[in-house]
Amino acid sequence: MADAPILVTGGAGFIGSNLVDALLARGYAVRVLDNLSTGKRENLPQSPRVELIVGDVADAGCVRRAVQGCRAVVHLAAVASVQASVDDPFGTHQSNLIGTLNLCEAMRESGVKRVLFASSAAVYGNNGEGHAIDEDTPKAPLTPYAADKLASEHYLDFYRRQHGLEPVVFRFFNIFGPRQDPSSPYSGVISIFTERAQKGLPIAVFGDGEQTRDFLYVADLVEVLVQALESPEAVEGAVNVGLNQATSLNQLLAAIGDVLGGLPEVSYQAARPGDIRHSRANNARLVQRYRLPEPPTGMRQGLAKLLGL
Ligand code: NAD
Ligand code: UD1
C-alpha cells in the first residue's frame, strides 16, 4: 500500500491541480480522473508519480477502474459553476450527483475507505444573511448545483453508515488563486475580474456589487485537504472552509484596482438567478480540527501572488 496512489477526481482543474502539486511534494503518487471539460492536461506536472485517466465520473466502469488499488480519494470532479447548473440541470447532475454515487459504489466494491468531498457553501442558500454561517445553519439549496452537492453529502453519509466509508465533507466557500480558469463566463469571479483588469477589458458586475463572499486562497485550502488525508480519523460532520471574512464585489474591485494601479470600465447588470447574496463562514469547526496557515493568505497578498506581482 506504501506506493498506492491517491485518486484525485477533477485533478486537472483549478483546486485539483494545486492539490496534486502539494501531494507530489509530500512524496505521494497521484492518479487523476478528469474528463478535461474545464481542467487541462497542462495543469499537471510531467512526473512518473502522476497518472492521468481521461474519463468521466458519470461512467461507472471508468470510476471502478480508477479507484482500484488507491489508498484514498479526493473527489473534486464536478461542474463547479452554479450558473452552469441553472442553464443545464440535467447535464450538471450527471457529473455532480451520479459521479458521486458511482464513486461511492466503486469504493464499496474495492474496499477503499477514505474520501474527501468538495461540497459547497451553496448548500446554505440565502440563510447566511447578517451572520456567519455555521454547519448547523439550515440548508436551502437554491440551484441544481447546490441540490446535487447536498444530495452527494447524504449519499456519502449513507455509505459511511452502511458500508464503512470514511467520508470527510468540506463545504468550501469561495476559493481563488493560480490556475482558476478565467476563460468562460462560468468561471470564478476573481479569475474573470483579474484577467479582464490586466487586459484593460470592461468588467460586468451582476447585481449591485454589494453581495459578499468569503474568499480563501487555494494554497491554504490545500494544506487543510492534505491534513484530512493524513489524519488517522475521519471525523463525522461537514466542515465549512472559509476565513469568516466577507468581501463585497465592490471591495474586491477596489482591491484589484489597488494592486494593479487602476481598473477598466465597470458596468452593473442584472443579478444572476439563484445568486446568493451574502456568504461568510463561521470556521470554528475548521480551526478546531485543522491547522490553517497562520496567518492565512490575505486578499491583497493572494491577489498579488495570483497576478505574479
Ligand atoms: P474546476 O472546474 O477547475 O475543476 C473541476 C474539474 O473536474 C475539472 O478539471 C473538470 O475537467 C473536471 N470534471 C468536471 N466534470 C467531470 C466529469 N463528469 N468527470 C470527470 N471530470 C470532471 O473547478 P474547481 O474550482 O477546481 O472545483 C473543484 C471542486 O470544488 C468542484 O467539485 C467544485 O464544485 C468544488 N468547489 C469549488 C469552489 C470554488 O470556489 N472554486 C467552492 C466550493 C466547491
Ligand atoms: C462559487 C464557486 C462554486 C462554489 C461556491 C461556494 C466557481 C465558478 N463557483 O460560486 O463552485 O460552490 O462559490 O460559495 O468557482 N459575478 C459577477 N461578474 C462575473 C462573474 C461573477 O458579478 O463576471 C458575481 C456572481 O454573480 C456572484 C459572485 O460574482 O454574485 C461570485 O460568483 P462566482 O465566482 O461564480 O461564485 P459563486 O456563485 O459564489
Side-chain angles (χ1 to χ4, degrees):
M1 213 43 187
D3 293 331
I6 292 173
L7 173 64
V8 183
T9 73
F14 158 51
I15 296 171
S17 64
N18 280 282
L19 174 65
V20 168
D21 287 346
L23 291 173
L24 290 176
R26 284 166 171 83
Y28 291 103
V30 180
R31 183 180 293 164
V32 168
L33 172 61
D34 201 300
N35 67 357
L36 303 180
S37 52
T38 55
K40 296 190 190 78
R41 241 175 242 280
E42 312 84 85
N43 284 343
L44 294 170
Q46 294 285 345
S47 160
R49 285 187 290 124
V50 180
E51 177 192 359
L52 170 63
I53 301 174
V54 178
D56 202 304
V57 290
D59 172 348
C62 179
V63 176
R64 206 177 293 124
R65 288 189 293 280
V67 166
Q68 206 54 247
C70 286
R71 69 162 77 191
V73 181
V74 185
H75 182 38
L76 301 171
V79 174
S81 163
V82 175
Q83 183 62 35
S85 82
V86 170
D87 296 343
D88 179 15
F90 187 82
T92 305
H93 185 73
Q94 302 309 308
S95 299
N96 291 18
L97 183 69
I98 304 299
T100 306
L101 190 48
N102 282 337
L103 186 66
C104 289
E105 267 302 290
M107 291 182 71
R108 180 185 66 76
E109 281 170 27
S110 61
V112 179
K113 298 281 185 212
R114 181 69 55 94
V115 53
L116 314 190
F117 176 59
S119 186
S120 166
V123 301
Y124 301 111
N126 272 324
N127 286 337
E129 288 284 338
H131 59 89
I133 299 168
D134 69 22
E135 290 82 358
D136 297 326
T137 297
K139 314 304 172 285
L142 297 175
T143 53
Y145 174 89
D148 281 338
K149 287 292 185 188
L150 189 56
S152 290
E153 290 189 18
H154 288 302
Y155 276 100
L156 284 160
D157 198 53
F158 165 75
Y159 277 80
R160 178 184 65 77
R161 285 179 279 109
Q162 194 69 21
H163 300 296
L165 233 66
E166 296 179 3
V168 184
V169 173
F170 291 106
R171 296 186 184 132
F172 302 165
F173 281 61
N174 289 57
I175 315 300
F176 75 105
R179 303 199 201 118
Q180 190 168 30
D181 182 6
S183 67
S184 132
Y186 293 141
S187 303
V189 67
I190 291 189
S191 68
I192 295 176
F193 283 6
T194 51
E195 188 190 63
R196 297 188 74 83
Q198 271 184 313
K199 292 184 172 165
L201 297 169
I203 287 175
V205 174
F206 303 129
D208 61 5
E210 289 304 305
Q211 66 265 51
T212 57
R213 294 292 186 272
D214 190 342
F215 292 104
L216 179 73
Y217 191 68
V218 66
D220 296 2
L221 167 70
V222 160
E223 288 297 315
V224 169
L225 296 180
V226 172
Q227 289 166 43
L229 278 169
E230 292 181 341
S231 167
E233 260 186 294
V235 185
E236 209 186 309
V239 178
N240 286 343
V241 187
L243 290 180
N244 199 349
Q245 282 170 17
T247 303
S248 71
L249 293 193
N250 290 327
Q251 289 169 328
L252 171 65
L253 284 168
I256 294 172
D258 282 352
V259 172
L260 284 176
L263 277 181
E265 181 198 331
V266 176
S267 69
Y268 290 82
Q269 304 184 4
R272 284 173 164 174
D275 199 35
I276 287 168
R277 186 73 181 156
H278 295 296
S279 178
R280 174 164 63 96
N282 174 329
N283 64 359
R285 188 179 282 178
L286 174 73
V287 298
Q288 184 206 337
R289 292 188 188 174
Y290 303 98
R291 290 176 312 281
L292 269 181
E294 186 48 55
T297 309
M299 172 58 75
R300 272 158 217 261
Q301 192 191 356
L303 287 173
K305 281 193 196 187
L306 170 61
L307 293 163
L309 301 171

